[in-house]
């Protein structure tokens, strides 16, 4: 019988995973609609907790005001980078002229970014709740407490980094780090969910060795992370191309990315092949309808959606809805692959001990 306090943690953990994925979807919508600078300041939006709906609600000099604040904040960040020995990155911020370009108020973009921030705040409170409830495992599984508080620290840093993303006008390398930290948060949530969920269950016994399956599953996770990083860089390249073309000729943006897009497309085929092999092994090794087999099937469905959205992006002039879905399902794929790895790793370890 699982104690109620532990059941509460497990349920909240799962809810937090879902909400984190929805937050990533919200971020994808912000990115695909060009709403990243909809709120030029942080954590407020135009100095308000509830943003304006009309430019008439803003002071006449609002553009100059927020550019000046942004420049001052970026200089503080650049000095931090200098102290870290990253002078070249600091200089790239100081000499980025796009940071000096004021953003014209757009109510739609402002509220899109504001909703994204609300989702971020909800995620933060859920992670705080997990950290508090994790004490139910004190003395029994202390790693859950440590990881829950670590995630809380990371999400705090992620929120600060989000403010830097805004102040630097979506500087590419900062956007990439922001995305990778989201994967770290998800990875910790998936780990704690699996670990707590399995504390009261016996591992499924599988006939045969699972060495190759362990290697393939962790390899698939690594490939997905690489794909997400390259995909983020593709998106950054398209942003640069679209600005250079004054947002005209949208149908030609993908073709102008060059080899980077080709790498992203070709690696997608490798991801597909690896996961087909993994599914075949899981289907052969796991008896009955085990959780590992269901996760493997879910990975297949997500991959199909990823391929479809990728084709839509490359052949139909980057429709915004496909961009948001592509980001969402790439992170969902990562989460499922990592969950499958944890299931296989634990079962393999169990078999070796018995």
């Amino acid at each position: 019988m699982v104690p109620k306090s532990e059941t509460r943690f497990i349920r909240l953990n799962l809810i937090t995973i879902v909400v984190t994925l929805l937050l990533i979807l919200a971020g994808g919508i912000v990115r695909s609609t060009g709403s990243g600078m909809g709120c030029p300041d942080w954590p407020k939006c135009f100095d308000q907790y509830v943003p304006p709906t009309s430019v008439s609600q803003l002071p006449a000099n609002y553009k100059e005001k927020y550019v000046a604040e942004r420049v001052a904040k970026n200089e503080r960040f650049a000095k931090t980078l200098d102290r870290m020995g990253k002078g070249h990155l600091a200089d790239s911020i100081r000499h980025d002229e796009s940071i000096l370009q004021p953003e014209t108020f757009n109510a739609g973009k402002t509220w899109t970014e504001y909703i994204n921030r609300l989702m971020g705040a909800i995620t933060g409170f859920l992670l705080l709740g997990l950290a508090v409830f994790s004490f139910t495992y004190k003395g029994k599984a202390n790693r859950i407490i440590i990881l829950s508080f670590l995630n809380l620290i990371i999400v705090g840093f992620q929120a600060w980094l989000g403010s830097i993303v805004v102040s630097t006008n979506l500087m590419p390398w900062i956007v990439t780090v922001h995305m990778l930290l989201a994967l770290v948060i998800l990875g910790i949530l998936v780990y704690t969910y699996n670990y707590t969920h399995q504390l009261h269950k016996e591992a499924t016994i599988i006939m045969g060795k699972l060495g190759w399956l362990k290697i393939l599953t962790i390899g698939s996770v690594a490939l997905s992370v690489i794909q997400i990083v390259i995909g983020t860089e593709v998106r950054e390249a398209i942003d640069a191309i679209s600005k250079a073309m004054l947002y005209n000729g949208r149908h030609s943006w993908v073709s102008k990315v060059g080899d980077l897009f080709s790498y992203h497309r070709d690696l997608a085929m490798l991801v597909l092949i690896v996961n087909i092999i993994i599914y075949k092994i899981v289907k052969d090794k796991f008896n009955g309808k085990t959780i590992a087999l269901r996760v493997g099937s879910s990975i297949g469905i997500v991959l199909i959606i990823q391929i479809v959205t990728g084709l839509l992006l490359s052949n139909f002039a980057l429709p915004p809805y496909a961009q948001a879905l592509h980001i969402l399902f790439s992170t969902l794929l990562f989460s499922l692959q990592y969950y499958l790895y944890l299931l296989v790793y634990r079962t393999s370890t169990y078999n070796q001990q018995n």
Side-chain angles (χ1 to χ4, degrees), residues 51-84:
T53 56
S54 170
V55 70
S56 62
Q57 298 172 271
L58 298 172
N61 67 334
Y62 79 91
K63 292 183 179 180
E64 294 78 8
K65 175 183 183 315
Y66 291 114
V67 168
E69 290 180 357
R70 196 159 62 209
V71 170
K73 185 170 187 174
N74 287 341
E75 180 57 31
R76 292 194 297 271
F77 181 51
K79 287 180 178 178
T80 300
L81 291 173
D82 281 332
R83 288 192 292 270
M84 295 171 60

Side-chain angles (χ1 to χ4, degrees), residues 96-150:
D96 186 354
E97 295 184 1
S98 68
I99 293 174
L100 302 177
Q101 300 299 316
E103 291 293 323
T104 302
F105 175 78
N106 179 300
K109 291 183 178 181
T110 292
W111 278 84
T112 300
E113 169 61 12
Y114 181 67
I115 291 172
N116 177 50
R117 294 187 184 188
L118 285 179
M119 288 293 300
I122 292 171
T123 305
F125 281 117
L126 287 172
L127 287 167
L128 177 61
L130 279 176
V132 173
F133 292 155
S134 68
F135 281 101
T136 191
Y137 292 98
K138 186 177 181 181
K140 180 179 182 179
N142 289 331
R143 72 178 70 179
I144 301 303
I145 300 174
I146 295 171
L147 289 172
S148 296
F149 274 89
L150 176 61

Side-chain angles (χ1 to χ4, degrees), residues 115-247:
I115 291 172
N116 177 50
R117 294 187 184 188
L118 285 179
M119 288 293 300
I122 292 171
T123 305
F125 281 117
L126 287 172
L127 287 167
L128 177 61
L130 279 176
V132 173
F133 292 155
S134 68
F135 281 101
T136 191
Y137 292 98
K138 186 177 181 181
K140 180 179 182 179
N142 289 331
R143 72 178 70 179
I144 301 303
I145 300 174
I146 295 171
L147 289 172
S148 296
F149 274 89
L150 176 61
N151 231 1
L152 191 59
I153 294 171
I154 293 173
V155 80
F157 181 77
Q158 179 78 321
W160 171 79
L161 191 62
S163 73
I164 299 299
V165 169
V166 172
S167 68
T168 58
N169 197 15
L170 313 179
M171 182 160 281
W173 69 268
I174 300 178
V175 173
T176 300
V177 173
H178 196 57
M179 187 67 207
L180 287 174
L181 278 179
L183 295 183
V184 172
I185 292 169
L186 264 178
I188 292 175
L189 285 169
V190 171
Y191 180 89
T192 54
Y193 176 77
N194 176 72
Y195 189 79
T196 55
H197 196 69
Q198 298 296 329
L199 280 176
H200 304 279
K201 293 185 178 182
E202 292 185 358
T204 302
I205 299 177
I206 311 169
M207 299 301 293
K209 296 181 178 180
L210 294 178
W212 277 108
L213 183 55
K214 287 169 61 178
I215 294 172
L216 285 172
T217 50
I218 195 61
S220 70
V221 173
L223 284 174
S224 286
V225 172
I226 294 170
Q227 266 291 72
I228 290 171
V229 171
I230 296 177
T232 302
E233 292 179 352
V234 168
R235 178 67 240 186
E236 291 162 359
I238 288 174
D239 286 344
I241 291 167
S242 63
K243 287 179 182 179
M245 296 179 65
L246 302 177
Y247 302 99

Side-chain angles (χ1 to χ4, degrees), residues 249-264:
R250 188 183 182 95
H251 63 280
S252 66
W253 293 352
V254 172
S255 63
K256 293 181 180 297
V257 174
D259 291 340
L260 190 62
F261 176 76
S262 299
Y263 297 150
H264 187 57

Side-chain angles (χ1 to χ4, degrees), residues 6-27:
E6 295 186 19
T7 300
R8 179 179 58 189
F9 180 91
I10 292 171
R11 288 175 179 173
L12 184 59
N13 197 332
L14 181 59
I15 291 170
T16 308
I17 290 173
V18 173
V19 172
T20 302
L21 288 168
L22 290 176
L23 173 60
I24 291 171
L25 174 61

